[in-house]
Structures are given as C-alpha cells and as structure tokens.
Amino acid sequence: MAELKPILLVEDNPKDLELTLAALDRSQLANEVVTARDGAEALDWLLYRGPHSGRPPVDPAVVLLDLKLPKVDGLQVLEKIKGDADLRHIPVVMLTASKEERDLVRSYELGVNAFVVKPVDFKEFFKAIQEVGMFWAILNEPHPPRPRNQPMRITEA
C-alpha cells in the first residue's frame, strides 16, 4: 500500500483555515494536513528550508493554495513550484475568493492543476473542500515518487 502523503494547506485567513480543516476532517481523510500561513512558509516547507529542513522527504499529495497571501503571494508560490524540477509534479489547487479573470488566466499559464473559487455559502464551501480533498488525496493517481534532483527516465517499448 502506498504511503499517505500529506496535504499542504496554504491559507492566511484564520476563518477560512478553520473551515477548510474542518471540512477535510469531516471527509475522514487519513492524510496529515500541514498548514502554512503565508507563501514564504509554504516554500520553506516544500524546499526543506529553515525549521522544515529536517522534515521527512515526502512531497504533498496536493497543495491547496490561497491566492492572496502575505510575504509571497500564491501566484509566486505556484510559479516556484511549477518551475522547479523537483516540485513541478505536485498537484496545485488554487483555492481562492478571487473571481478575477486575470488571476484565473495567470494561474493556468503558470501550470495550476485546478482553480476553485471559495463559495460564500457555508455548506457549499464545506462541500467544495471535501470534494477537492477527496479527489486529490484519494482518487487522483499521483506522480510516482523519485529521488530528488534525479532526472526522470522514460524508456520506449
């Protein structure tokens, strides 16, 4: 059985963070949820920097990424993830209140895997988070693990 990968939740709004954690918990996912309150903290976790330098060498099943973040915004985090050979395979779901078309377009230009606008209604928000969590943590077949900084080899039959 494959190891359960954590979910990295990057959210600075305390209320949205609490609701998202509650929705993921209610989904009964066994995945650990790691939280980061800003983009810099998320990058430190992903890149094994600072207080995360000794963490286990496992990539998240998915990054749930808010767009509007302090220090380093969500688009900058997304650009770093998708521009890094060791991270680009990690699915990233932009989870945001923004309905601005430029944010949607820029996210897809940078390689986001999904763009979900947070519903305003509490029940709809809860349901959306549960569905996102279930899909990416359980249903999605993840990229196979590989040692960091090792090129992927593709063989032809």
Side-chain angles (χ1 to χ4, degrees):
M1 183 174 173
E3 90 179 272
L4 282 176
K5 295 181 171 192
I7 295 170
L8 177 58
L9 172 59
V10 189
E11 176 62 67
D12 66 315
N13 180 306
K15 185 175 181 179
D16 286 352
L17 178 66
E18 183 180 344
L19 287 174
T20 303
L21 289 171
L24 291 170
D25 184 56
R26 187 166 297 171
S27 297
Q28 297 183 342
L29 296 174
N31 306 66
E32 173 190 10
V33 179
V34 175
T35 60
R37 299 294 182 116
D38 60 58
E41 185 180 351
L43 289 173
D44 284 348
W45 190 88
L46 287 164
L47 296 169
Y48 302 87
R49 297 188 305 213
H52 307 289
S53 62
R55 77 171 179 84
V58 62
D59 290 327
V62 64
V63 176
L64 302 179
L65 181 62
D66 190 19
L67 185 64
K68 310 292 186 199
L69 294 167
K71 296 184 183 178
V72 180
D73 73 27
L75 290 174
Q76 292 169 310
V77 173
L78 175 63
E79 185 171 25
K80 177 64 178 168
I81 292 170
K82 295 304 180 179
D84 185 300
D86 288 330
L87 302 176
R88 71 173 51 120
H89 66 278
I90 299 170
V92 178
V93 175
M94 197 64 76
L95 192 58
T96 179
S98 175
K99 292 184 180 183
E100 294 182 36
E101 186 175 338
R102 70 173 187 223
D103 291 335
L104 175 71
V105 169
R106 187 67 182 137
S107 294
Y108 278 109
E109 286 174 350
L110 292 172
V112 79
N113 297 88
F115 190 98
V116 177
V117 176
K118 298 174 190 173
V120 176
D121 178 77
F122 173 77
K123 287 182 182 178
E124 288 179 25
F125 179 86
F126 227 69
K127 184 178 179 197
I129 298 300
Q130 287 178 312
E131 290 174 359
V132 165
M134 291 294 287
F135 177 80
W136 290 104
I138 304 241
L139 299 175
N140 182 54
E141 189 65 38
H143 187 284
R146 66 186 175 99
R148 292 182 102 38
N149 294 317
Q150 293 293 315
M152 188 176 206
R153 296 179 200 262
I154 300 173
T155 58
E156 295 184 24

